[in-house]
Amino acid sequence: VPTVDVASRAFVVKVDLPADLGGLRPGMFARVSFRVGSRARLVVPTTAIAASGALDRVFAADGDRLRLRMVTLGEKQGPWTEVLSGLTAGERLVAKVGPELRDGARFSERP
């Protein structure tokens, strides 16, 4: 709809959805995101991230040892989470973090 509420910066968007989405009714509220453009992003499996208080961390392989890395996270999409800082592309990570992992622990790659 080509009008915007100046105070809230809100506007109405009408979206055509397939009829087989059960449970949806006209007039229901929804949050919708629209993909605009594309960019390269560094993403990791969400299972590789362990929260410790307000900090997010992953375990990266450094030779034959695991190193704890604090990371800054971005957007989550499905099973993937964007990493904004703390890692570089190509680093090997532990795919599923468990309570037994420690910084400096010996690392061996499974086939």
Side-chain angles (χ1 to χ4, degrees), residues 29-90:
F29 176 81
R31 291 192 189 272
V32 180
S33 62
F34 297 96
R35 199 173 289 222
V36 178
S38 63
R39 62 183 168 94
R41 302 188 302 173
L42 178 61
V43 295
V44 299
T46 302
T47 58
I49 301 165
S52 177
L55 302 174
D56 295 305
R57 58 190 188 158
V58 296
F59 284 92
D62 183 15
D64 67 340
R65 299 286 177 183
L66 290 177
R67 297 294 172 209
L68 180 65
R69 300 280 181 84
M70 300 301 169
V71 292
T72 303
L73 302 179
E75 183 180 356
K76 292 181 184 182
Q77 285 190 342
W80 301 99
T81 300
E82 179 181 19
V83 175
L84 301 174
S85 66
L87 287 178
T88 58

Side-chain angles (χ1 to χ4, degrees), residues 11-34:
F11 54 93
V12 175
V13 175
K14 295 183 180 182
V15 179
D16 287 328
L17 298 172
D20 61 350
L21 292 174
L24 295 180
R25 301 282 179 253
M28 292 178 86
F29 176 81
R31 291 192 189 272
V32 180
S33 62
F34 297 96

